[in-house]
Amino acid sequence: MEENPVFNVMEIFRGTTVDGPGFRTSIYLAGCSHGCPGCHNPQSHDPRAGHEMSLKEIMAIVREEDFNVTISGGDPLFNPLNLKLLVEAIKKDRRNIWIYTGYVWEDIISNSALLSAIREADVLVDGLYISELRDPDLPFRGSSNQRIIDIQKSLISNEIVLY
């Protein structure tokens, strides 16, 4: 396993409050194959978009900001191995991790690579963005089909536990 993998990062937002509770460091990774109509970040679909950053460079920013972390994109699960490495590094610092993905929980838990990538994270916002279901009053998600799932409780109970 690569010790210091390279990520294509669209942006790292420092001290944001829109991608989960409290102040957070939000890491937007490049790469997405969902192509949701009305996506708020379509430039992130290209996995080569953004700029290259090593895991060490990303973690330096996470530690400097000293907030919990949200990983979004694109879709972080576009590259599950890199996501797994990033989640593991962030968890070593004992930070809460939210992950936004277009995949749904049921598909993630039936795919060993996807499940392995999110297993140590805390919260998953799942589901495609559907513009017809857009609701600006929903906290921390764009459309009403998306769920905010407590990953650890869901894994323990073997059923979806909403956050």
Side-chain angles (χ1 to χ4, degrees):
M1 198 176 298
E2 194 174 343
E3 187 174 311
N4 194 24
V6 174
F7 297 78
N8 278 61
V9 176
M10 296 301 298
E11 186 80 42
I12 297 180
F13 294 96
R14 301 166 183 242
T16 183
T17 58
V18 298
D19 294 327
F23 286 98
R24 307 184 74 80
T25 300
S26 287
I27 304 164
Y28 281 70
L29 301 175
C32 182
S33 59
H34 301 299
C36 301
C39 174
H40 81 286
N41 204 3
Q43 65 277 16
S44 69
H45 296 177
D46 180 353
R48 298 170 310 252
H51 59 282
E52 289 187 352
M53 291 183 74
S54 70
L55 180 58
K56 288 179 183 176
E57 290 171 319
I58 293 170
M59 288 308 299
I61 293 171
V62 167
R63 290 179 181 126
E64 176 185 322
E65 290 304 306
D66 200 27
F67 297 129
N68 288 319
V69 176
T70 296
I71 307 169
S72 190
D75 191 324
L77 284 170
F78 185 85
N79 186 335
L81 178 56
N82 265 12
L83 178 61
K84 178 181 181 358
L85 297 173
L86 181 58
V87 167
E88 288 173 349
I90 294 166
K91 270 305 183 184
K92 282 183 184 171
D93 281 5
R94 296 186 184 99
R95 297 180 196 282
N96 173 275
I97 302 171
W98 280 42
I99 297 172
Y100 282 75
T101 182
Y103 291 94
V104 294
W105 178 260
E106 294 81 0
D107 292 336
I108 293 169
I109 62 169
S110 67
N111 180 308
S112 61
L114 299 180
L115 180 57
S116 180
I118 67 143
R119 184 175 289 281
E120 291 186 42
D122 300 286
V123 173
L124 183 80
V125 181
D126 82 334
L128 298 173
Y129 170 73
I130 299 174
S131 58
E132 295 80 21
L133 300 177
R134 181 180 183 274
D135 184 346
D137 295 328
L138 290 172
F140 309 127
R141 58 196 192 274
S143 57
S144 60
N145 63 298
Q146 296 171 313
R147 301 173 290 186
I148 303 175
I149 298 170
D150 184 311
I151 294 170
Q152 299 309 312
K153 287 181 181 176
S154 296
L155 290 173
I156 291 167
S157 70
N158 235 359
E159 61 184 26
I160 292 175
V161 177
L162 297 178
Y163 174 82

